[in-house]
Each structure stands twice: as structure tokens, then as C-alpha cells.
Amino acid sequence: MTADKGQQVLSGIARLPIAVDRVGAPPHELLALALRFGSSSYDAASLELDLRLQLPVATVDEVLREAALASGLVLPD
């Protein structure tokens, strides 16, 4: 990648409507989700955020997909 292309990519990223979650979940809640669904800590954190904010879950990861469905979250078509 050239320096110019890198700058274009960074500029595009800077324009994305990204919100940072500053609340975070207590570690024991993430552990409980990971153990309940047999998921990674990363997937548990993603699932916790989706549950808390009632976000639809778009994933091809089967474990996360099943956990989302079992938790009552919506999966987009």
C-alpha cells in the first residue's frame, strides 16, 4: 500500500459513524456469557454489548449466532 492510499483509507475510517462504548461489562458477566455459550471472551463481549444495546447480530460465527438466538436477539436476513 502506498502512503497516499494509506491516507485515503484512514480518512475514510475517520468519517465512519463510530461510537465508543465507555460503559463496559463487569468481567464476571463476560465470563458467565462465555461459559454459558462456550464462546470466546471476544464473542462474549460482543454479545454483551448487543444485549445491552439491543442491537441486531450480523455474524457468520455459528457459536455467536446460536448464542444471540438463545438470548432473544434479532439476526438480520
Side-chain angles (χ1 to χ4, degrees):
M1 177 182 296
T2 66
D4 286 340
K5 181 61 177 174
Q7 288 299 324
Q8 289 175 353
V9 169
L10 289 176
S11 178
I13 291 171
R15 288 192 302 273
L16 292 173
I18 296 172
V20 176
D21 177 49
R22 302 210 186 273
V23 175
H28 69 274
E29 287 183 21
L30 298 178
L31 177 60
L33 284 171
L35 292 173
R36 178 178 173 198
F37 297 112
S39 68
S40 67
S41 58
Y42 178 87
D43 284 350
S46 176
L47 182 61
E48 185 281 328
L49 181 66
D50 294 334
L51 285 166
R52 185 161 33 90
L53 300 181
Q54 288 298 292
L55 299 171
V57 178
T59 183
V60 296
D61 182 286
E62 194 58 34
V63 173
L64 184 54
R65 178 180 170 75
E66 291 301 318
L69 287 172
S71 299
L73 291 173
V74 175
L75 298 173
D77 294 330

